[in-house]
Amino acid sequence: QVQLVESGGGLVQPGESLRLSCAASGIIFSIYTMAWYRQAPGKQRELVATITTGGRTNYADSVKGRFTISRDNANDTVYLQMNSLKPEDTAVYYCNGGHYSDYVPIDYWGQGTQVTVSS
């Protein structure tokens, strides 16, 4: 019953912006640390940004200053605002939710949404 449903991916030109959304259901959203990962073809999946239950954020150096992660606990949704997009941002972006229950890690993943930055 747990679902992370992503939306907002697409094809954009370099320099343009895109906002990804991830709507969660089946979890107590407010107690989960949320994150965005991305994976380009032939490359390892990398962590892009995280946001804690208290709203603390962290970003990969490659996106710092361009991307913003946020969460709306009232709507169980996490966002990734992507500005000044570059071709190297092209990847499948995945939403992730993590929680430790009695020191047991619980992870859920979205299906992924394609972001392509190309001229």
Side-chain angles (χ1 to χ4, degrees), residues 92-108:
V92 177
Y93 284 71
Y94 297 91
C95 178
N96 170 268
H99 175 243
Y100 285 90
S101 180
D102 295 324
Y103 301 102
V104 178
I106 302 173
D107 258 347
Y108 297 103

Side-chain angles (χ1 to χ4, degrees), residues 4-114:
L4 301 179
V5 181
E6 301 171 339
S7 61
L11 173 64
V12 296
Q13 295 183 344
E16 294 184 337
S17 298
L18 205 59
R19 189 178 78 159
L20 306 182
S21 299
C22 173
S25 61
I27 63 171
I28 305 175
F29 181 80
S30 61
I31 68 171
Y32 277 73
T33 294
M34 302 301 297
W36 288 95
Y37 288 74
R38 67 185 182 187
Q39 186 169 27
K43 296 184 178 180
Q44 297 283 347
R45 186 174 299 185
E46 65 172 335
L47 179 63
V48 176
T50 62
I51 183 165
T52 68
T53 58
R56 184 178 179 182
T57 60
N58 194 30
Y59 300 91
D61 288 342
S62 59
V63 307
K64 200 160 191 169
R66 300 188 297 119
F67 290 10
T68 302
I69 187 172
S70 61
R71 66 191 297 159
D72 182 355
N73 286 347
N75 291 294
D76 294 354
T77 303
V78 63
Y79 303 94
L80 184 67
Q81 178 66 44
M82 310 165 69
N83 297 329
S84 302
L85 283 163
K86 305 175 180 179
E88 49 263 46
D89 295 319
T90 296
V92 177
Y93 284 71
Y94 297 91
C95 178
N96 170 268
H99 175 243
Y100 285 90
S101 180
D102 295 324
Y103 301 102
V104 178
I106 302 173
D107 258 347
Y108 297 103
W109 292 89
Q111 78 287 352
T113 185
Q114 178 70 47

